[in-house]
């Protein structure tokens, strides 16, 4: 997690520019933030606890500066307070650094440095890196000290460092994203492109183990493994600034829910050659895994059901964090298909690394095409959903579901049939995302906004959607929500049902329909309040949310009313749906 932004160039308001850049990255971490900048040969630091979005230019007067670095934090090591907020100084206060990632062996290094007399004021792993660089800088140049220090870091990192007497920024990455925006005689360094998109759409992707140095309007790159200079390509990207901003919407979450009218079509509109190629790989493979974490994991599990039903193929599912325990089964004939919005999720990346060591071919279904995941995969299927900023995934989810559905059909020789089904589903979204539909869900939201717990049940390919619905409700409404396979209720969870407990039943017009209705009836007999998400009303429902009948695309449409409900509950309960407590958008820690 955490957002990094840095600037070097002719503008003399670098600190404020960094603050504005960090505001665009706040979705990556929002418990505290800070900026360091050079002013008249000194390094000044300004740090604050809380959301950077709340900061106004009049709150603090920064001195004139044309070189600044900043960070928006999602705490990993050490609590949320000003001392632990980045940037962090070295002992002699000459070196200052921001960091995204985890320095896994930092305690050993800290002990080593303490023996040499270093004193640490924070509980962070980051401060140790600043001190380590200082230690090397006693006998080496600033650049060489950074190169030496990062060789000692085990784990993932993106760091940006400045030094008091040097008019340069040094940035390095391994496993956490850092992208350079190239303007006219100016450079931006950020964790994600939208942060500098209003200044430039020319980017350079820093790769793992590479270091970049910005000095005197020039940029250079160094490969720290091969120990040689590298040339990097400037790429022009097509994202427009509006897609990365809220526009007239009160929150990114609702904006992104609404965008599904368009994003689903974009996801369906894949290069058929790539889809056929992946289908061929699945047929050829001796064992295929779908992996993902959180919402992407639930989507991957839907994939297992889709393949069983549509292409009569067994695909193994594992959460990214659980995949390492399957490593004994992997051979060079295995195929791994990773599902991810950000392409930076540490657990998924680790699973890919383990698979690659065994010679496994990697396919990624990913939104951020510049991400680490996309770059280390053999084949990439892009979601094309545009930037997803709200922490709770919505539009990326339905795009991922659409691509897996398309793949399942392609594996059965029916890519056109799949496309047709999906285009039909996408065309129905207008009936679901409109004020009348939202008002209908709002009535329900008002009724249940103070409940303690709610449950969601589904069967077949809608069972993982029940799990996904629970995540959506939990993360933004903070209501206890759990998803179950409908048939599992009677084996224990039904004991949780009492009078008026809301239970959402996901009912599709498929071979599970009668069974899920009877599971809902069992709940109702125990006093439960049944909310049916279904193409047709049924007498067991106390509240009915209509969804179009989408056949095998029902998981895509069934999750949409739940996304709307989760958003509305968050707003009614005065939570910020874009920045739920304790969460961050990309989980770059294990
Ligand atoms: C929940 C959510 C998370 C992510 C998970 C994986 O709404 O967004 O559960 O799905 O952290 O992230 P990606 O898809 O970026 O790999």
């Amino acid at each position: 997690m955490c957002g990094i932004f840095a600037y070097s160039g002719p503008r003399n308001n670098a600190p404020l520019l960094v603050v504005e850049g960090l505001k665009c990255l706040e979705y990556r971490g929002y418990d505290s933030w800070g900026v360091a900048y050079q002013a008249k040969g000194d390094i000044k630091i300004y740090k604050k606890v809380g959301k950077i979005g709340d900061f106004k230019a009049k709150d603090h007067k920064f001195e004139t500066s044309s070189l600044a670095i900043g960070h928006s934090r999602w705490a990993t090591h050490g609590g949320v307070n000003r001392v632990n907020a980045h940037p962090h100084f070295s002992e002699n206060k000459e070196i200052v650094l921001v960091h995204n990632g985890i320095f896994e062996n930092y305690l050993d290094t800290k002990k080593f440095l303490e023996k040499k007399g270093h004193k640490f004021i924070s509980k962070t792993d980051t401060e140790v890196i600043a001190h380590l660089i200082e230690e090397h800088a006693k006998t080496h140049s600033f650049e060489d000290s950074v190169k030496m220090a990062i060789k000692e870091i085990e784990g993932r990192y993106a760091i940006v460092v400045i030094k008091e007497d040097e008019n340069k920024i040094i940035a390095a990455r391994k496993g956490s994203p850092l992208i350079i925006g190239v303007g006219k005689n100016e450079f931006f360094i950020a964790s994600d492109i939208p942060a500098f998109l209003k200044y430039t759409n020319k980017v350079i992707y820093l790769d793992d183990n590479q270091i970049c140095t910005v000095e005197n309007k020039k940029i250079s790159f160094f490969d720290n493994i091969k120990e040689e200079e590298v040339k990097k390509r400037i790429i022009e990207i097509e994202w427009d600034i509006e897609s990365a901003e809220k526009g007239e919407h009160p929150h990114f979450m609702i904006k992104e829910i609404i965008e599904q009218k368009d994003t689903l079509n974009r996801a369906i509109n894949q290069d058929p050659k790539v889809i056929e190629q992946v289908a061929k790989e699945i047929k050829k493979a001796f064992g295929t895994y779908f992996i993902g974490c959180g919402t992407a994991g639930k989507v991957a599990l839907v994939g297992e059901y889709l393949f069983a039903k549509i292409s009569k193929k067994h695909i193994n599912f594992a959460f990214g964090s659980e995949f390492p325990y399957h490593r004994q089964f992997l051979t060079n004939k295995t195929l791994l298909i990773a599902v991810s919005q950000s392409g930076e999720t540490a657990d998924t990346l680790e699973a890919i690394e383990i698979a690659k060591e065994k010679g496994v071919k990697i396919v990624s279904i990913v939104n951020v095409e510049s991400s680490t995941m996309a770059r280390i995969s053999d084949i990439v299927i892009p979601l094309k959903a545009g930037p997803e900023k709200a922490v709770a995934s919505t539009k990326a989810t339905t795009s991922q579901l659409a691509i897996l559905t398309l793949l399942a059909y392609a594996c059965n020789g029916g890519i056109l049939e799949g496309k047709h089904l999906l285009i039909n589903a996408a065309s129905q979204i207008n009936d679901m995302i409109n004020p009348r539909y939202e008002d209908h869900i709002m009535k329900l939201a008002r009724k249940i906004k103070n409940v303690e717990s709610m449950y969601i049940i589904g069967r077949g390919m809608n069972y993982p959607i029940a799990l996904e619905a629970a995540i959506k409700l939990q993360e933004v409404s903070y209501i206890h929500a759990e998803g179950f396979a409908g048939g599992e209720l009677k084996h224990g969870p039904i004991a949780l049902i009492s009078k008026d407990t809301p239970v959402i039943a996901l009912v599709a017009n498929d071979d599970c329909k009668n069974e899920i209705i009877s599971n809902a009836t069992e709940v109702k007999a125990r006093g439960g309040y049944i909310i049916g998400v279904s193409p047709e009303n049924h007498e067991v429902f106390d509240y009915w949310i209509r969804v179009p009948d989408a056949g095998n695309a029902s998981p895509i449409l069934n999750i949409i009313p739940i996304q709307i409900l989760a958003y509305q509950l968050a707003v009614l309960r005065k939570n910020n749906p874009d920045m739920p407590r304790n969460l961050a958008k990309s989980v770059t820690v294990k």
Side-chain angles (χ1 to χ4, degrees), residues 292-297 339-345 348 373 388 390-394 396-397 400 468 471-472 475 583-587:
C293 297
T295 290
V339 182
S340 176
Q341 189 286 127
S342 63
E344 300 293 349
T345 301
T348 313
M373 208 171 292
E388 190 182 67
V391 165
S393 181
T394 52
T397 311
Q400 290 161 348
E468 164 54 12
I471 296 195
K472 221 63 332 147
E475 66 184 331
L583 292 172
K585 182 69 181 158
S586 30
V587 186

Side-chain angles (χ1 to χ4, degrees), residues 260-277:
Q260 292 174 110
K261 290 177 183 185
D262 177 43
T263 51
L264 196 53
N265 280 311
R266 279 195 259 147
I268 302 163
N269 197 11
Q270 291 291 334
D271 180 349
K273 283 201 221 88
V274 176
I275 299 294
E276 297 285 13
Q277 187 194 354

Side-chain angles (χ1 to χ4, degrees), residues 12-20 23 33-39 43-49 52 54-65 68-69 82 87:
N12 64 8
N13 63 340
L16 210 51
L17 192 144
V18 165
V19 170
E20 291 310 314
K23 283 184 181 174
W33 60 278
V35 178
Y37 58 101
Q38 281 194 336
I43 292 184
K44 302 271 185 279
I45 286 201
Y46 181 74
K47 299 198 214 184
K48 264 194 105 71
V49 171
I52 193 167
D54 297 339
F55 178 83
K56 309 266 175 320
K58 63 172 173 41
D59 294 346
H60 179 77
K61 193 161 168 22
F62 292 105
E63 290 176 43
T64 307
S65 170
I69 65 175
R82 202 180 161 279

Side-chain angles (χ1 to χ4, degrees), residues 517-529:
I517 291 283
S518 62
N519 298 141
T521 313
E522 289 153 16
V523 173
K524 188 154 176 152
R526 273 94 189 157
Y529 179 79

